[in-house]
Amino acid sequence: MQIRTEVNDGKGVLTLDGRFDFNSHRDFRAASDKLLEDAAVKEVEINFSRVEYLDSSALGMLLLLREKVDGAGKKVVLSGLKGTVKQVLDIANFSKLFAMRD
Amino acid sequence: MDHGQLPVLGDWLQAFASCHALSPEATFSLDLVLTEAVTNIMDYSRRPGTIGEIELECTLQDGHILAKLMDDGLAYDPTAATPANLPNNLDEARPGGLGIHLMRHYTSCMHYRREHDRNVLSLTLPMEHARASLQ
């Protein structure tokens, strides 16, 4: 999975591209930790518009991110959800845990 | 096999999906179910210090995908796993069990048996299940 990072006006956006699975663990953690360490970033947005696959490994990474975001006093938003990717998040009840936007 | 071998499964799956002209939704479902099942075998069934072998058979029949996974590891029955408690808030959220929960959602039947010191897991996926769920 490729991860592109953009920071603008207090918002850090991680745009994920490809398969979000076990093999993404190291890159996702590194990219998200970097945003969380940036004092200028108040909100972290994870953009799923280019994600073609995710599984329970990805769900675990998102739960871990949510804990870290709360600990850092920031917010997290999931965006660009559609099709099977949105379906998996819905099945896992993640709409109760994460703010989501188009 | 270890997790680093998962791309082997992915390559096989893409070839299978292409050969049988599976829809993107059916391919996604099969990918997810097999990845979760194989990951569980690697994590819970493989004997410590051994390499282990996993065999996979996959056929299409009457609008269903029939997948059978066989391994020579320790007895492990994923169908007996306690269902995940779906979280209503962050305090309740636990990563464990979500893989089994997803497997149950995308299959119409999961059957396990222990046979000749091998785990045999049979999975049935409706080919149009994912497409119907999205409508």
Side-chain angles (χ1 to χ4, degrees):
Chain A
M1 182 175 76
Q2 302 293 314
I3 303 176
R4 192 176 75 233
T5 303
E6 293 170 276
V7 178
N8 199 8
D9 285 340
K11 186 166 81 171
V13 181
L14 295 183
T15 300
L16 315 182
D17 190 339
R19 287 178 70 90
F20 191 10
D21 62 10
F22 180 83
N23 291 304
S24 316
H25 188 264
R26 187 176 300 173
D27 290 344
F28 182 74
R29 185 178 59 187
S32 55
D33 281 355
K34 194 171 179 183
L35 284 183
L36 292 175
E37 289 163 4
D38 186 339
V41 172
K42 304 300 180 193
E43 179 184 293
V44 175
E45 178 178 328
I46 311 295
N47 185 332
F48 283 82
S49 60
R50 294 174 180 271
V51 174
E52 56 201 37
Y53 173 90
L54 85 168
D55 56 26
S56 66
S57 296
L59 299 180
M61 286 180 247
L62 290 173
L63 287 178
L64 190 59
L65 171 67
R66 176 62 208 268
E67 285 183 11
K68 288 182 179 178
V69 164
D70 284 357
K74 302 178 192 285
K75 293 180 179 177
V76 61
V77 177
L78 311 186
S79 69
L81 301 167
K82 60 189 178 194
T84 45
V85 169
K86 181 176 187 305
Q87 187 181 57
V88 168
L89 292 167
D90 286 343
I91 294 165
N93 231 19
F94 269 37
S95 58
K96 297 277 181 70
L97 308 179
F98 290 88
M100 297 179 176
R101 73 166 68 110
D102 291 340
Chain B
M1 288 182 79
D2 59 24
H3 291 156
Q5 297 293 305
L6 281 171
V8 174
L9 173 64
D11 291 344
W12 174 88
L13 189 127
Q14 289 306 318
F16 181 83
S18 175
C19 179
H20 295 283
L22 294 186
S23 69
E25 293 84 0
T27 304
F28 179 94
S29 302
L30 183 61
D31 193 350
L32 187 142
V33 166
L34 290 180
T35 299
E36 299 290 355
V38 168
T39 301
N40 281 336
I41 292 170
M42 291 170 172
D43 289 345
Y44 302 116
S45 173
R46 186 167 51 143
R47 298 175 197 276
T50 64
I51 294 176
E53 250 185 39
I54 301 172
E55 280 182 56
L56 167 64
E57 292 176 9
C58 213
T59 55
L60 304 184
Q61 188 178 316
D62 298 331
H64 290 78
I65 304 168
L66 310 180
K68 186 157 79 170
L69 285 158
M70 295 152 285
D71 71 85
D72 57 358
L74 303 168
Y76 169 67
D77 178 3
T79 68
T82 306
N85 284 324
L86 293 185
N88 286 303
N89 56 59
L90 192 61
D91 290 338
E92 296 176 8
R94 301 283 181 276
L98 287 174
I100 299 279
H101 179 68
L102 293 173
M103 287 174 68
R104 287 192 170 119
H105 180 89
Y106 284 104
T107 56
S108 57
C109 181
M110 288 174 52
H111 180 263
Y112 168 85
R113 68 178 187 275
R114 184 76 174 168
E115 189 176 89
H116 305 304
D117 282 336
R118 286 159 64 89
N119 296 306
V120 181
L121 179 64
S122 301
L123 304 162
T124 305
L125 291 81
M127 286 175 67
E128 295 304 314
H129 175 93
R131 187 190 299 275
S133 298
L134 287 170
Q135 289 172 348

